[in-house]
Amino acid sequence: MSSFSSIPLQVSGYYILLLSLPPLPSFPTTATHYLYLANHQPKIPSATSPRSLFLVNVPFDATDKHIKHLLSTQLGLPNGRIENVQFEGQRSGVKDQAEAAVPHTNVSTKSKKRKRSVGEMKIEDMEGANLPSTWDRELHGIGRTAVVTFVDRPSVDAAIKAVKKARKDGIQPVWREGLESTLPALGSARYLNHHNLQYPDKKQLLESVNNYMTAFAAQEASKARMLARQRQEPDEDGFVMVTRGGRNGLARPEVVQEQADKQKEKRKGLEDFYRFQTREKRKAKAGELMRKFAEDKEKPE
């Protein structure tokens, strides 16, 4: 208890929650894990930031079930107060969803021209299109983070209050307590299952490939429609984007001849604009005279 009380409640703005890791066959000794919690304050705040909790050094086998069980069942937070849990590496999708919810404008801080990105389109509807996973659960590296989003701001305050109370009362929650039978096993059983999952059912594999090709075909059709529209619609500066395939396909021969004549008219008067053009013109004229002189010499008298 003395060593427990010597650990500070807070360090660098993070509250410290001590977790008891039960012994394992490979390490038959109880260990203490330090979990750090603080209000979520990202560099770019979102609508859910004020009601989110930032966790640092989550256990390597943590899942959303573990986090919800820890905060609700073991620390006494009312059930249903946690909206979702996003671990490091999984939050990019949430960021994309948040950006999609915000209406975009064509005005940039660096340039007022509208930027059209066509080649960077991604297949968004990937439901059922991914290959079957070869792992039954995800594990995390050392020192990874997570963001716990609650239904409201008071729930975040209640979670921090529960952490303070647990530290004050000397409570050290046992990690994974009560969840052993609800999640896939670790150890050798995990790798045995991984070996089996590397050979998925042929029907399931075919379904994933078909779903992906369907999503890819839809994306290509959408890309073609966008390119066709961009070939016809000028931007706000009056310019039409040059795209592969031309604007209107092949032109009629008379239109091509008309454009060539216009280009010749534009080039009139510019033949002697540069000095080298004058020299080349004199050389060409002298060469033409020499050629005609040689032809005249060969003519019979």
Side-chain angles (χ1 to χ4, degrees):
M1 185 69 181
S2 59
S3 61
F4 183 88
S5 59
S6 63
I7 300 174
L9 173 65
Q10 198 173 9
V11 58
S12 300
Y14 287 86
Y15 293 97
I16 303 177
L17 178 63
L18 303 180
L19 303 177
S20 178
L21 301 182
L24 298 174
S26 58
F27 188 75
T29 305
T30 303
T32 301
H33 184 86
Y34 292 71
L35 180 64
Y36 302 88
L37 307 91
N39 291 317
H40 188 36
Q41 298 176 349
K43 294 182 179 179
I44 303 178
S46 63
T48 60
S49 297
R51 53 186 180 92
S52 299
L53 201 62
F54 188 63
L55 277 59
V56 180
N57 196 33
V58 295
F60 77 98
D61 60 341
T63 63
D64 55 342
K65 288 184 178 181
H66 286 99
I67 302 299
K68 291 178 180 179
H69 179 75
L70 172 65
L71 296 176
S72 299
T73 305
Q74 295 180 292
L75 294 182
L77 196 68
N79 292 326
R81 309 309 297 173
I82 299 177
E83 186 174 295
N84 61 64
V85 180
Q86 294 291 330
F87 293 93
E88 184 177 346
Q90 300 177 345
R91 296 197 291 274
S92 59
V94 176
K95 180 180 178 181
D96 294 340
Q97 294 174 6
E99 291 178 351
V102 179
H104 291 276
T105 60
N106 294 327
V107 179
S108 174
T109 55
K110 296 183 179 179
S111 173
K112 293 184 179 180
K113 292 183 180 180
R114 179 169 56 187
K115 296 181 179 179
R116 302 174 178 180
S117 177
V118 179
E120 297 179 358
M121 293 178 62
K122 297 180 180 179
I123 301 178
E124 297 179 356
D125 187 13
M126 293 295 295
E127 183 178 356
N130 292 321
L131 293 175
S133 176
T134 59
W135 295 99
D136 51 15
R137 60 185 291 189
E138 183 181 357
L139 300 181
H140 313 284
I142 299 174
R144 293 300 178 90
T145 63
V147 174
V148 183
T149 304
F150 295 83
V151 295
D152 51 22
R153 174 66 190 187
S155 299
V156 179
D157 298 334
I160 294 178
K161 186 178 180 181
V163 172
K164 292 180 180 179
K165 186 177 183 301
R167 288 298 309 275
K168 182 180 178 180
D169 297 341
I171 298 175
Q172 193 169 348
V174 179
W175 183 250
R176 296 189 298 266
E177 186 178 37
L179 294 178
E180 292 85 352
S181 59
T182 62
L183 293 171
L186 298 177
S188 59
R190 167 179 169 83
Y191 291 95
L192 178 60
N193 195 23
H194 169 64
H195 174 75
N196 296 330
L197 291 175
Q198 286 182 317
Y199 305 93
D201 181 68
K202 186 181 296 185
K203 182 179 178 181
Q204 182 185 7
L205 188 62
L206 180 62
E207 182 179 358
S208 299
V209 173
N210 290 337
N211 290 338
Y212 180 86
M213 295 306 299
T214 301
F216 179 78
Q219 184 248 6
E220 288 294 305
S222 176
K223 181 179 177 180
R225 290 193 297 268
M226 182 180 295
L227 287 173
R229 185 172 63 253
Q230 290 178 355
R231 288 196 292 265
Q232 303 296 332
E233 297 180 357
D235 60 13
E236 57 189 13
D237 293 329
F239 295 98
V240 176
M241 182 178 181
V242 178
T243 58
R244 182 181 300 176
R247 184 179 180 184
N248 293 315
L250 297 176
R252 298 189 301 273
E254 56 270 20
V255 176
V256 174
Q257 184 62 36
E258 182 181 355
Q259 293 292 335
D261 295 340
K262 288 182 179 180
Q263 292 296 328
K264 289 182 180 180
E265 290 293 332
K266 290 181 180 180
R267 288 197 294 266
K268 281 184 178 181
L270 299 178
E271 292 85 355
D272 302 331
F273 186 78
Y274 295 103
R275 185 176 299 176
F276 79 89
Q277 290 178 324
T278 305
R279 291 198 303 266
E280 293 294 333
K281 190 175 181 180
R282 286 200 301 265
K283 289 181 180 180
K285 187 175 182 180
E288 182 67 18
L289 291 175
M290 292 294 293
R291 186 181 62 81
K292 288 183 178 181
F293 179 72
E295 290 178 355
D296 292 341
K297 286 178 62 177
E298 295 176 359
K299 288 181 180 180
E301 296 182 357

